[in-house]
Amino acid sequence: MKAVTIDGFGAEPRLTDLPAPQPGPGELLVRLHAAALNPFDWKVADGALRDAVEHRFPLVLGSDGAGVVERIGEGVNRFRLGDTVYGQFMNVARGHGSYAEYVLVPEDGRLARIPEDLPFGVAAALPTASATAYQAIEAARLDTGQIILVNGASGGVGQSAIQFAVHEGARVLATAAPDIAGHLRDLGAHETLDFTATPVAEQVLAAHPDGIDAVLDLITHPGGDIDAFAALLKPGGRLISTNHATDPEALAAREIHGVNLSSSPSQAELAALADLAAAGKLRVTVDREISLADAPAAVARARSGHARGKTVILL
Ligand SMILES: NC(=O)c1ccc[n+]([C@@H]2O[C@H](COP(=O)([O-])OP(=O)(O)OC[C@H]3O[C@@H](n4cnc5c(N)ncnc54)[C@H](OP(=O)(O)O)[C@@H]3O)[C@@H](O)[C@H]2O)c1
């Protein structure tokens, strides 16, 4: 099978040929029709999980994908041959990932069926970005009329987070470079803040001097100035970071609830997300469709940022 792999941490991704894996007991072999890029893919390639898990090389890159169940191992009973499925397929210990024509997944893994009318490319774009957004907005525990800032709103997670927060009845402040501000308002953002102009926290404070209720920060990394965002929150406010940049204990002393989110969608959550997307209630922007051969260049582009939605590999 064709796949995009790396031979070691920090190595250049390359298109290669590998034997297609065979399903063992309880496993499915999925013929992938689409895979989607996430920042986590290149972070893993750089060694983000090297201290936590043994990796097998060559390592197929990628987590998210969608396709058709082509073979099933002994004892599989939740899925059948021919089912259309999507989910998170990264398994670094076995060298498996989604930038490939085939991938193995345990039947109790992070996958769900997709409704008939949901294109593979859209389904593949959902698992990491939209599930993280869903779990982050759940962690924000928003009430109707509360105000949330989504910092990093123009990317994959942010665009879904805007929609989930609006669904909770919140007023959504979304950071955006000028070229994408209109699109984010279209997705439901009530105010957009140009992070390329003046510091976002200053803009929020000027518009909302009494403070806001929640911040979803998709940008700040450990050691960065997340305090500028914590300072915007009213007592009892919630600060959610997807990059482990908050110190919940220190925030608790200031009556702020800090959450470092590590998203991990259940099969039920994945099924619900696919239904929302198929019904048009969750809009996912696929801004680039590429071939597997173009994936190494797309990974390099993703590292430099400037995502305007999801990049999808059609297989
Ligand atoms: N913990 C978890 O479970 C988890 C899960 C998913 C994602 N994440 C992390 O969450 C982050 C966001 O993921 P993503 O998939 O949404 O990334 P993405 O699709 O690459 O989007 C990032 C967005 O951030 C914008 N941006 C860059 N610098 C900014 C700044 N200073 N202020 C405001 N916006 C800025 C970019 O816009 P411009 O192009 O205009 O610069 C881009 O649209 C990543 O770091 C990812 O690794 C964590």
Side-chain angles (χ1 to χ4, degrees), residues 37-40 42-43 128-129 132 135 150-159 175-177 179-180 195-196 200 217-219 221 241-244 260-264 302 304-310:
L37 271 69
N38 287 287
F40 192 53
W42 58 260
K43 292 180 183 180
T128 295
T132 301
Q135 293 184 346
V150 181
N151 186 40
S154 46
V157 179
Q159 292 194 24
T175 58
D179 66 293
I180 195 168
F195 68 87
T196 66
V200 169
D217 184 1
L218 308 168
I219 299 299
H221 283 78
S241 163
T242 57
N243 289 307
H244 291 257
N260 286 312
L261 185 76
S262 286
S263 90
S264 170
S304 65
H306 306 302
R308 287 290 174 269
K310 301 297 296 178

mmCIF file of all heavy atoms in Angstrom, residues 37-40 42-43 128-129 132 135 150-159 175-177 179-180 195-196 200 217-219 221 241-244 260-264 302 304-310, ligand 1:
data_model
loop_
_atom_site.group_PDB
_atom_site.id
_atom_site.type_symbol
_atom_site.label_atom_id
_atom_site.label_comp_id
_atom_site.label_asym_id
_atom_site.label_seq_id
_atom_site.Cartn_x
_atom_site.Cartn_y
_atom_site.Cartn_z
ATOM 1 N N LEU A 37 -5.199 16.358 7.998
ATOM 2 C CA LEU A 37 -4.027 16.802 8.755
ATOM 3 C C LEU A 37 -4.450 17.504 10.036
ATOM 4 O O LEU A 37 -5.462 18.216 10.057
ATOM 5 C CB LEU A 37 -3.199 17.793 7.920
ATOM 6 C CG LEU A 37 -2.125 17.205 7.014
ATOM 7 C CD1 LEU A 37 -2.762 16.436 5.856
ATOM 8 C CD2 LEU A 37 -1.204 18.300 6.475
ATOM 9 N N ASN A 38 -3.668 17.310 11.074
ATOM 10 C CA ASN A 38 -3.813 18.050 12.335
ATOM 11 C C ASN A 38 -2.422 18.436 12.812
ATOM 12 O O ASN A 38 -1.458 17.706 12.535
ATOM 13 C CB ASN A 38 -4.467 17.170 13.400
ATOM 14 C CG ASN A 38 -5.946 16.963 13.142
ATOM 15 O OD1 ASN A 38 -6.747 17.872 13.338
ATOM 16 N ND2 ASN A 38 -6.302 15.775 12.665
ATOM 17 N N PRO A 39 -2.299 19.537 13.600
ATOM 18 C CA PRO A 39 -0.980 19.893 14.118
ATOM 19 C C PRO A 39 -0.319 18.756 14.891
ATOM 20 O O PRO A 39 0.895 18.604 14.880
ATOM 21 C CB PRO A 39 -1.268 21.095 15.035
ATOM 22 C CG PRO A 39 -2.537 21.685 14.515
ATOM 23 C CD PRO A 39 -3.326 20.534 13.959
ATOM 24 N N PHE A 40 -1.151 17.916 15.539
ATOM 25 C CA PHE A 40 -0.611 16.796 16.320
ATOM 26 C C PHE A 40 0.238 15.863 15.450
ATOM 27 O O PHE A 40 1.204 15.272 15.935
ATOM 28 C CB PHE A 40 -1.780 16.031 16.950
ATOM 29 C CG PHE A 40 -1.376 15.029 17.992
ATOM 30 C CD1 PHE A 40 -0.567 15.394 19.059
ATOM 31 C CD2 PHE A 40 -1.827 13.719 17.935
ATOM 32 C CE1 PHE A 40 -0.200 14.476 20.040
ATOM 33 C CE2 PHE A 40 -1.470 12.794 18.908
ATOM 34 C CZ PHE A 40 -0.653 13.177 19.960
ATOM 35 N N TRP A 42 2.389 16.474 12.971
ATOM 36 C CA TRP A 42 3.812 16.830 12.874
ATOM 37 C C TRP A 42 4.465 16.923 14.259
ATOM 38 O O TRP A 42 5.670 16.700 14.395
ATOM 39 C CB TRP A 42 4.066 18.069 12.006
ATOM 40 C CG TRP A 42 3.371 19.346 12.408
ATOM 41 C CD1 TRP A 42 2.230 19.860 11.861
ATOM 42 C CD2 TRP A 42 3.789 20.285 13.425
ATOM 43 N NE1 TRP A 42 1.891 21.043 12.478
ATOM 44 C CE2 TRP A 42 2.832 21.336 13.434
ATOM 45 C CE3 TRP A 42 4.858 20.341 14.315
ATOM 46 C CZ2 TRP A 42 2.935 22.419 14.303
ATOM 47 C CZ3 TRP A 42 4.954 21.427 15.193
ATOM 48 C CH2 TRP A 42 3.996 22.442 15.165
ATOM 49 N N LYS A 43 3.660 17.179 15.291
ATOM 50 C CA LYS A 43 4.234 17.174 16.644
ATOM 51 C C LYS A 43 4.684 15.753 17.004
ATOM 52 O O LYS A 43 5.744 15.550 17.597
ATOM 53 C CB LYS A 43 3.212 17.708 17.661
ATOM 54 C CG LYS A 43 2.918 19.205 17.473
ATOM 55 C CD LYS A 43 1.910 19.740 18.478
ATOM 56 C CE LYS A 43 1.589 21.208 18.204
ATOM 57 N NZ LYS A 43 0.614 21.792 19.133
ATOM 58 N N THR A 128 -10.366 14.796 15.270
ATOM 59 C CA THR A 128 -9.548 15.506 16.261
ATOM 60 C C THR A 128 -10.058 16.925 16.478
ATOM 61 O O THR A 128 -10.322 17.338 17.618
ATOM 62 C CB THR A 128 -8.066 15.507 15.833
ATOM 63 O OG1 THR A 128 -7.608 14.157 15.842
ATOM 64 C CG2 THR A 128 -7.222 16.339 16.781
ATOM 65 N N ALA A 129 -10.239 17.674 15.396
ATOM 66 C CA ALA A 129 -10.579 19.093 15.546
ATOM 67 C C ALA A 129 -11.960 19.270 16.183
ATOM 68 O O ALA A 129 -12.113 19.988 17.184
ATOM 69 C CB ALA A 129 -10.521 19.789 14.185
ATOM 70 N N THR A 132 -12.327 17.763 19.794
ATOM 71 C CA THR A 132 -11.647 18.616 20.782
ATOM 72 C C THR A 132 -12.492 19.852 21.074
ATOM 73 O O THR A 132 -12.662 20.256 22.228
ATOM 74 C CB THR A 132 -10.264 19.037 20.250
ATOM 75 O OG1 THR A 132 -9.514 17.858 19.989
ATOM 76 C CG2 THR A 132 -9.525 19.909 21.251
ATOM 77 N N GLN A 135 -15.427 18.871 23.288
ATOM 78 C CA GLN A 135 -15.057 18.616 24.684
ATOM 79 C C GLN A 135 -14.613 19.908 25.381
ATOM 80 O O GLN A 135 -14.845 20.089 26.573
ATOM 81 C CB GLN A 135 -13.972 17.536 24.746
ATOM 82 C CG GLN A 135 -14.531 16.186 24.291
ATOM 83 C CD GLN A 135 -13.541 15.023 24.410
ATOM 84 O OE1 GLN A 135 -12.346 15.233 24.587
ATOM 85 N NE2 GLN A 135 -14.050 13.806 24.289
ATOM 86 N N VAL A 150 -12.590 32.702 22.041
ATOM 87 C CA VAL A 150 -11.880 31.581 21.417
ATOM 88 C C VAL A 150 -10.624 32.158 20.779
ATOM 89 O O VAL A 150 -10.708 32.910 19.799
ATOM 90 C CB VAL A 150 -12.752 30.851 20.368
ATOM 91 C CG1 VAL A 150 -11.977 29.676 19.776
ATOM 92 C CG2 VAL A 150 -14.062 30.373 20.994
ATOM 93 N N ASN A 151 -9.480 31.845 21.384
ATOM 94 C CA ASN A 151 -8.202 32.361 20.874
ATOM 95 C C ASN A 151 -7.587 31.300 19.962
ATOM 96 O O ASN A 151 -7.225 30.218 20.417
ATOM 97 C CB ASN A 151 -7.260 32.655 22.050
ATOM 98 C CG ASN A 151 -5.976 33.318 21.591
ATOM 99 O OD1 ASN A 151 -6.019 34.182 20.705
ATOM 100 N ND2 ASN A 151 -4.860 32.947 22.168
ATOM 101 N N GLY A 152 -7.504 31.638 18.663
ATOM 102 C CA GLY A 152 -7.086 30.647 17.666
ATOM 103 C C GLY A 152 -8.301 30.130 16.907
ATOM 104 O O GLY A 152 -8.301 29.008 16.401
ATOM 105 N N ALA A 153 -9.331 30.987 16.831
ATOM 106 C CA ALA A 153 -10.636 30.560 16.306
ATOM 107 C C ALA A 153 -10.630 30.238 14.817
ATOM 108 O O ALA A 153 -11.544 29.579 14.325
ATOM 109 C CB ALA A 153 -11.679 31.641 16.594
ATOM 110 N N SER A 154 -9.618 30.671 14.091
ATOM 111 C CA SER A 154 -9.645 30.495 12.626
ATOM 112 C C SER A 154 -9.198 29.116 12.172
ATOM 113 O O SER A 154 -9.328 28.773 11.000
ATOM 114 C CB SER A 154 -8.784 31.571 11.961
ATOM 115 O OG SER A 154 -7.533 31.707 12.621
ATOM 116 N N GLY A 155 -8.677 28.280 13.079
ATOM 117 C CA GLY A 155 -8.196 26.950 12.692
ATOM 118 C C GLY A 155 -9.274 25.883 12.812
ATOM 119 O O GLY A 155 -10.454 26.177 13.027
ATOM 120 N N GLY A 156 -8.842 24.630 12.687
ATOM 121 C CA GLY A 156 -9.781 23.516 12.680
ATOM 122 C C GLY A 156 -10.576 23.410 13.970
ATOM 123 O O GLY A 156 -11.805 23.287 13.954
ATOM 124 N N VAL A 157 -9.913 23.453 15.121
ATOM 125 C CA VAL A 157 -10.616 23.343 16.406
ATOM 126 C C VAL A 157 -11.502 24.575 16.615
ATOM 127 O O VAL A 157 -12.679 24.474 16.983
ATOM 128 C CB VAL A 157 -9.624 23.212 17.583
ATOM 129 C CG1 VAL A 157 -10.370 23.136 18.912
ATOM 130 C CG2 VAL A 157 -8.719 21.988 17.412
ATOM 131 N N GLY A 158 -10.925 25.743 16.336
ATOM 132 C CA GLY A 158 -11.622 27.000 16.617
ATOM 133 C C GLY A 158 -12.932 27.141 15.857
ATOM 134 O O GLY A 158 -13.949 27.580 16.421
ATOM 135 N N GLN A 159 -12.929 26.759 14.602
ATOM 136 C CA GLN A 159 -14.148 26.940 13.796
ATOM 137 C C GLN A 159 -15.296 26.077 14.323
ATOM 138 O O GLN A 159 -16.452 26.500 14.314
ATOM 139 C CB GLN A 159 -13.858 26.626 12.329
ATOM 140 C CG GLN A 159 -12.932 27.661 11.694
ATOM 141 C CD GLN A 159 -12.889 27.568 10.176
ATOM 142 O OE1 GLN A 159 -13.799 27.079 9.535
ATOM 143 N NE2 GLN A 159 -11.811 28.068 9.605
ATOM 144 N N THR A 175 -10.890 35.235 17.618
ATOM 145 C CA THR A 175 -9.715 35.869 17.007
ATOM 146 C C THR A 175 -9.635 35.463 15.535
ATOM 147 O O THR A 175 -9.921 34.316 15.175
ATOM 148 C CB THR A 175 -8.415 35.431 17.697
ATOM 149 O OG1 THR A 175 -8.315 34.009 17.626
ATOM 150 C CG2 THR A 175 -8.374 35.871 19.147
ATOM 151 N N ALA A 176 -9.240 36.414 14.701
ATOM 152 C CA ALA A 176 -9.153 36.110 13.270
ATOM 153 C C ALA A 176 -8.317 37.156 12.569
ATOM 154 O O ALA A 176 -8.449 38.353 12.844
ATOM 155 C CB ALA A 176 -10.554 36.110 12.646
ATOM 156 N N ALA A 177 -7.465 36.698 11.657
ATOM 157 C CA ALA A 177 -6.828 37.649 10.745
ATOM 158 C C ALA A 177 -7.938 38.191 9.838
ATOM 159 O O ALA A 177 -8.966 37.526 9.659
ATOM 160 C CB ALA A 177 -5.748 36.940 9.939
ATOM 161 N N ASP A 179 -8.634 38.385 6.746
ATOM 162 C CA ASP A 179 -9.168 37.651 5.588
ATOM 163 C C ASP A 179 -10.202 36.595 5.944
ATOM 164 O O ASP A 179 -10.958 36.151 5.079
ATOM 165 C CB ASP A 179 -8.010 36.995 4.799
ATOM 166 C CG ASP A 179 -7.328 35.911 5.612
ATOM 167 O OD1 ASP A 179 -6.697 36.248 6.618
ATOM 168 O OD2 ASP A 179 -7.447 34.729 5.250
ATOM 169 N N ILE A 180 -10.251 36.166 7.205
ATOM 170 C CA ILE A 180 -11.177 35.078 7.556
ATOM 171 C C ILE A 180 -12.237 35.521 8.574
ATOM 172 O O ILE A 180 -13.108 34.746 8.963
ATOM 173 C CB ILE A 180 -10.394 33.834 8.052
ATOM 174 C CG1 ILE A 180 -11.313 32.607 8.066
ATOM 175 C CG2 ILE A 180 -9.706 34.061 9.384
ATOM 176 C CD1 ILE A 180 -10.631 31.280 8.254
ATOM 177 N N PHE A 195 -6.043 39.533 15.705
ATOM 178 C CA PHE A 195 -4.877 39.307 16.582
ATOM 179 C C PHE A 195 -3.593 39.828 15.953
ATOM 180 O O PHE A 195 -2.558 39.901 16.620
ATOM 181 C CB PHE A 195 -4.739 37.828 16.950
ATOM 182 C CG PHE A 195 -4.371 36.918 15.806
ATOM 183 C CD1 PHE A 195 -3.044 36.710 15.465
ATOM 184 C CD2 PHE A 195 -5.354 36.291 15.064
ATOM 185 C CE1 PHE A 195 -2.699 35.870 14.417
ATOM 186 C CE2 PHE A 195 -5.027 35.454 14.006
ATOM 187 C CZ PHE A 195 -3.694 35.240 13.676
ATOM 188 N N THR A 196 -3.641 40.185 14.674
ATOM 189 C CA THR A 196 -2.438 40.722 14.022
ATOM 190 C C THR A 196 -2.312 42.235 14.264
ATOM 191 O O THR A 196 -1.301 42.835 13.899
ATOM 192 C CB THR A 196 -2.459 40.462 12.500
ATOM 193 O OG1 THR A 196 -3.533 41.209 11.913
ATOM 194 C CG2 THR A 196 -2.648 38.987 12.184
ATOM 195 N N VAL A 200 -4.735 40.679 21.827
ATOM 196 C CA VAL A 200 -6.132 40.252 21.932
ATOM 197 C C VAL A 200 -6.713 40.614 23.298
ATOM 198 O O VAL A 200 -7.842 41.109 23.397
ATOM 199 C CB VAL A 200 -6.223 38.726 21.682
ATOM 200 C CG1 VAL A 200 -7.596 38.175 22.036
ATOM 201 C CG2 VAL A 200 -5.873 38.423 20.225
ATOM 202 N N ASP A 217 -8.266 28.690 24.867
ATOM 203 C CA ASP A 217 -6.991 29.127 24.291
ATOM 204 C C ASP A 217 -6.347 27.976 23.518
ATOM 205 O O ASP A 217 -5.919 26.989 24.116
ATOM 206 C CB ASP A 217 -6.070 29.621 25.404
ATOM 207 C CG ASP A 217 -4.764 30.177 24.838
ATOM 208 O OD1 ASP A 217 -4.611 30.179 23.605
ATOM 209 O OD2 ASP A 217 -3.907 30.593 25.629
ATOM 210 N N LEU A 218 -6.284 28.145 22.204
ATOM 211 C CA LEU A 218 -5.713 27.114 21.323
ATOM 212 C C LEU A 218 -4.309 27.478 20.877
ATOM 213 O O LEU A 218 -3.704 26.769 20.074
ATOM 214 C CB LEU A 218 -6.614 26.967 20.082
ATOM 215 C CG LEU A 218 -8.095 26.735 20.362
ATOM 216 C CD1 LEU A 218 -8.927 26.887 19.088
ATOM 217 C CD2 LEU A 218 -8.299 25.352 20.957
ATOM 218 N N ILE A 219 -3.776 28.586 21.391
ATOM 219 C CA ILE A 219 -2.531 29.144 20.851
ATOM 220 C C ILE A 219 -1.364 29.100 21.836
ATOM 221 O O ILE A 219 -0.256 28.725 21.489
ATOM 222 C CB ILE A 219 -2.765 30.611 20.405
ATOM 223 C CG1 ILE A 219 -3.830 30.665 19.304
ATOM 224 C CG2 ILE A 219 -1.466 31.265 19.946
ATOM 225 C CD1 ILE A 219 -3.473 29.914 18.035
ATOM 226 N N HIS A 221 1.375 28.207 24.408
ATOM 227 C CA HIS A 221 2.078 26.994 24.831
ATOM 228 C C HIS A 221 2.665 27.224 26.228
ATOM 229 O O HIS A 221 2.772 28.361 26.680
ATOM 230 C CB HIS A 221 3.153 26.621 23.805
ATOM 231 C CG HIS A 221 2.567 25.973 22.588
ATOM 232 N ND1 HIS A 221 1.944 26.702 21.592
ATOM 233 C CD2 HIS A 221 2.469 24.668 22.225
ATOM 234 C CE1 HIS A 221 1.488 25.863 20.664
ATOM 235 N NE2 HIS A 221 1.795 24.632 21.014
ATOM 236 N N SER A 241 -7.175 25.184 28.010
ATOM 237 C CA SER A 241 -6.021 25.211 27.106
ATOM 238 C C SER A 241 -5.902 23.858 26.409
ATOM 239 O O SER A 241 -5.993 22.811 27.050
ATOM 240 C CB SER A 241 -4.744 25.470 27.909
ATOM 241 O OG SER A 241 -3.607 25.115 27.140
ATOM 242 N N THR A 242 -5.640 23.873 25.088
ATOM 243 C CA THR A 242 -5.398 22.606 24.377
ATOM 244 C C THR A 242 -3.903 22.319 24.288
ATOM 245 O O THR A 242 -3.500 21.322 23.702
ATOM 246 C CB THR A 242 -5.974 22.641 22.950
ATOM 247 O OG1 THR A 242 -5.396 23.748 22.253
ATOM 248 C CG2 THR A 242 -7.480 22.727 22.955
ATOM 249 N N ASN A 243 -3.086 23.200 24.861
ATOM 250 C CA ASN A 243 -1.633 22.984 24.778
ATOM 251 C C ASN A 243 -0.974 22.904 26.153
ATOM 252 O O ASN A 243 0.209 23.220 26.291
ATOM 253 C CB ASN A 243 -0.995 24.081 23.925
ATOM 254 C CG ASN A 243 -1.354 23.909 22.461
ATOM 255 O OD1 ASN A 243 -1.159 22.834 21.897
ATOM 256 N ND2 ASN A 243 -1.902 24.945 21.841
ATOM 257 N N HIS A 244 -1.776 22.498 27.141
ATOM 258 C CA HIS A 244 -1.264 22.291 28.507
ATOM 259 C C HIS A 244 -0.526 23.526 29.025
ATOM 260 O O HIS A 244 0.533 23.414 29.646
ATOM 261 C CB HIS A 244 -0.371 21.042 28.566
ATOM 262 C CG HIS A 244 -1.178 19.795 28.369
ATOM 263 N ND1 HIS A 244 -1.539 18.963 29.400
ATOM 264 C CD2 HIS A 244 -1.745 19.274 27.265
ATOM 265 C CE1 HIS A 244 -2.299 17.983 28.940
ATOM 266 N NE2 HIS A 244 -2.426 18.143 27.639
ATOM 267 N N ASN A 260 -6.534 21.720 31.421
ATOM 268 C CA ASN A 260 -5.641 21.333 30.324
ATOM 269 C C ASN A 260 -6.294 20.146 29.631
ATOM 270 O O ASN A 260 -6.345 19.054 30.192
ATOM 271 C CB ASN A 260 -4.262 20.944 30.862
ATOM 272 C CG ASN A 260 -3.489 22.168 31.303
ATOM 273 O OD1 ASN A 260 -3.418 23.158 30.581
ATOM 274 N ND2 ASN A 260 -2.920 22.116 32.504
ATOM 275 N N LEU A 261 -6.815 20.394 28.442
ATOM 276 C CA LEU A 261 -7.633 19.379 27.779
ATOM 277 C C LEU A 261 -6.791 18.428 26.942
ATOM 278 O O LEU A 261 -5.956 18.863 26.147
ATOM 279 C CB LEU A 261 -8.648 20.087 26.863
ATOM 280 C CG LEU A 261 -9.659 19.175 26.186
ATOM 281 C CD1 LEU A 261 -10.732 18.742 27.174
ATOM 282 C CD2 LEU A 261 -10.304 19.872 24.996
ATOM 283 N N SER A 262 -7.005 17.139 27.152
ATOM 284 C CA SER A 262 -6.466 16.124 26.236
ATOM 285 C C SER A 262 -7.665 15.406 25.675
ATOM 286 O O SER A 262 -8.283 14.606 26.366
ATOM 287 C CB SER A 262 -5.595 15.113 26.981
ATOM 288 O OG SER A 262 -4.370 15.696 27.308
ATOM 289 N N SER A 263 -8.012 15.707 24.449
ATOM 290 C CA SER A 263 -9.274 15.177 23.938
ATOM 291 C C SER A 263 -9.122 13.713 23.552
ATOM 292 O O SER A 263 -8.064 13.282 23.079
ATOM 293 C CB SER A 263 -9.759 15.987 22.751
ATOM 294 O OG SER A 263 -9.259 15.464 21.565
ATOM 295 N N SER A 264 -10.176 12.967 23.762
ATOM 296 C CA SER A 264 -10.171 11.548 23.446
ATOM 297 C C SER A 264 -11.623 11.143 23.205
ATOM 298 O O SER A 264 -12.338 10.811 24.135
ATOM 299 C CB SER A 264 -9.569 10.800 24.647
ATOM 300 O OG SER A 264 -9.750 9.438 24.480
ATOM 301 N N ALA A 302 1.803 22.919 7.071
ATOM 302 C CA ALA A 302 1.013 22.964 8.312
ATOM 303 C C ALA A 302 1.860 23.461 9.487
ATOM 304 O O ALA A 302 1.373 24.174 10.359
ATOM 305 C CB ALA A 302 0.449 21.580 8.620
ATOM 306 N N SER A 304 4.034 25.686 9.454
ATOM 307 C CA SER A 304 4.212 27.143 9.441
ATOM 308 C C SER A 304 2.914 27.854 9.804
ATOM 309 O O SER A 304 2.861 29.084 9.825
ATOM 310 C CB SER A 304 4.730 27.602 8.082
ATOM 311 O OG SER A 304 3.743 27.342 7.126
ATOM 312 N N GLY A 305 1.821 27.085 10.067
ATOM 313 C CA GLY A 305 0.571 27.696 10.514
ATOM 314 C C GLY A 305 -0.274 28.186 9.363
ATOM 315 O O GLY A 305 -0.184 27.673 8.251
ATOM 316 N N HIS A 306 -1.092 29.189 9.658
ATOM 317 C CA HIS A 306 -1.965 29.818 8.660
ATOM 318 C C HIS A 306 -3.047 28.894 8.130
ATOM 319 O O HIS A 306 -3.454 29.021 6.974
ATOM 320 C CB HIS A 306 -1.160 30.427 7.518
ATOM 321 C CG HIS A 306 -0.112 31.376 8.004
ATOM 322 N ND1 HIS A 306 -0.421 32.485 8.767
ATOM 323 C CD2 HIS A 306 1.222 31.371 7.872
ATOM 324 C CE1 HIS A 306 0.695 33.111 9.089
ATOM 325 N NE2 HIS A 306 1.716 32.452 8.563
ATOM 326 N N ALA A 307 -3.498 27.951 8.969
ATOM 327 C CA ALA A 307 -4.614 27.109 8.531
ATOM 328 C C ALA A 307 -5.862 27.971 8.398
ATOM 329 O O ALA A 307 -6.123 28.843 9.212
ATOM 330 C CB ALA A 307 -4.849 25.995 9.545
ATOM 331 N N ARG A 308 -6.640 27.684 7.373
ATOM 332 C CA ARG A 308 -7.903 28.382 7.155
ATOM 333 C C ARG A 308 -9.071 27.399 7.206
ATOM 334 O O ARG A 308 -10.159 27.673 6.732
ATOM 335 C CB ARG A 308 -7.878 29.102 5.785
ATOM 336 C CG ARG A 308 -6.989 30.326 5.774
ATOM 337 C CD ARG A 308 -7.646 31.398 6.642
ATOM 338 N NE ARG A 308 -6.814 32.569 6.831
ATOM 339 C CZ ARG A 308 -5.960 32.715 7.835
ATOM 340 N NH1 ARG A 308 -5.782 31.745 8.700
ATOM 341 N NH2 ARG A 308 -5.276 33.825 7.970
ATOM 342 N N GLY A 309 -8.788 26.219 7.718
ATOM 343 C CA GLY A 309 -9.752 25.133 7.742
ATOM 344 C C GLY A 309 -8.925 23.870 7.667
ATOM 345 O O GLY A 309 -7.753 23.864 8.028
ATOM 346 N N LYS A 310 -9.522 22.793 7.186
ATOM 347 C CA LYS A 310 -8.834 21.515 7.194
ATOM 348 C C LYS A 310 -8.204 21.182 5.847
ATOM 349 O O LYS A 310 -8.766 21.453 4.794
ATOM 350 C CB LYS A 310 -9.840 20.399 7.531
ATOM 351 C CG LYS A 310 -10.537 20.570 8.869
ATOM 352 C CD LYS A 310 -9.597 20.532 10.052
ATOM 353 C CE LYS A 310 -8.906 19.197 10.201
ATOM 354 N NZ LYS A 310 -7.947 19.202 11.335
HETATM 355 N N1 LIG B 1 -4.943 18.719 23.568
HETATM 356 C C1 LIG B 1 -5.617 18.206 22.569
HETATM 357 O O1 LIG B 1 -6.279 17.170 22.714
HETATM 358 C C2 LIG B 1 -5.598 18.909 21.231
HETATM 359 C C3 LIG B 1 -6.475 18.486 20.229
HETATM 360 C C4 LIG B 1 -6.495 19.197 19.032
HETATM 361 C C5 LIG B 1 -5.634 20.279 18.868
HETATM 362 N N2 LIG B 1 -4.774 20.624 19.831
HETATM 363 C C6 LIG B 1 -3.881 21.781 19.679
HETATM 364 O O2 LIG B 1 -4.691 22.949 19.555
HETATM 365 C C7 LIG B 1 -4.067 23.878 18.682
HETATM 366 C C8 LIG B 1 -5.032 24.297 17.580
HETATM 367 O O3 LIG B 1 -5.293 23.197 16.726
HETATM 368 P P1 LIG B 1 -5.984 23.408 15.290
HETATM 369 O O4 LIG B 1 -6.152 22.066 14.701
HETATM 370 O O5 LIG B 1 -7.157 24.297 15.423
HETATM 371 O O6 LIG B 1 -4.800 24.211 14.535
HETATM 372 P P2 LIG B 1 -4.813 24.864 13.089
HETATM 373 O O7 LIG B 1 -5.959 24.290 12.289
HETATM 374 O O8 LIG B 1 -3.449 24.769 12.564
HETATM 375 O O9 LIG B 1 -5.200 26.398 13.341
HETATM 376 C C9 LIG B 1 -4.425 27.295 14.077
HETATM 377 C C10 LIG B 1 -5.035 28.690 13.830
HETATM 378 O O10 LIG B 1 -4.486 29.567 14.791
HETATM 379 C C11 LIG B 1 -4.333 30.841 14.180
HETATM 380 N N3 LIG B 1 -3.304 31.626 14.902
HETATM 381 C C12 LIG B 1 -1.951 31.566 14.763
HETATM 382 N N4 LIG B 1 -1.359 32.414 15.614
HETATM 383 C C13 LIG B 1 -2.346 33.025 16.311
HETATM 384 C C14 LIG B 1 -2.372 33.994 17.347
HETATM 385 N N5 LIG B 1 -1.248 34.512 17.853
HETATM 386 N N6 LIG B 1 -3.562 34.371 17.828
HETATM 387 C C15 LIG B 1 -4.720 33.874 17.352
HETATM 388 N N7 LIG B 1 -4.772 32.962 16.343
HETATM 389 C C16 LIG B 1 -3.591 32.532 15.848
HETATM 390 C C17 LIG B 1 -3.913 30.531 12.775
HETATM 391 O O11 LIG B 1 -4.273 31.646 11.975
HETATM 392 P P3 LIG B 1 -3.191 32.413 11.020
HETATM 393 O O12 LIG B 1 -2.921 31.467 9.978
HETATM 394 O O13 LIG B 1 -3.926 33.616 10.577
HETATM 395 O O14 LIG B 1 -1.933 32.675 11.749
HETATM 396 C C18 LIG B 1 -4.713 29.261 12.455
HETATM 397 O O15 LIG B 1 -5.922 29.580 11.770
HETATM 398 C C19 LIG B 1 -2.800 23.194 18.174
HETATM 399 O O16 LIG B 1 -1.691 23.620 18.930
HETATM 400 C C20 LIG B 1 -3.067 21.718 18.409
HETATM 401 O O17 LIG B 1 -1.894 20.954 18.548
HETATM 402 C C21 LIG B 1 -4.732 19.960 21.023
#
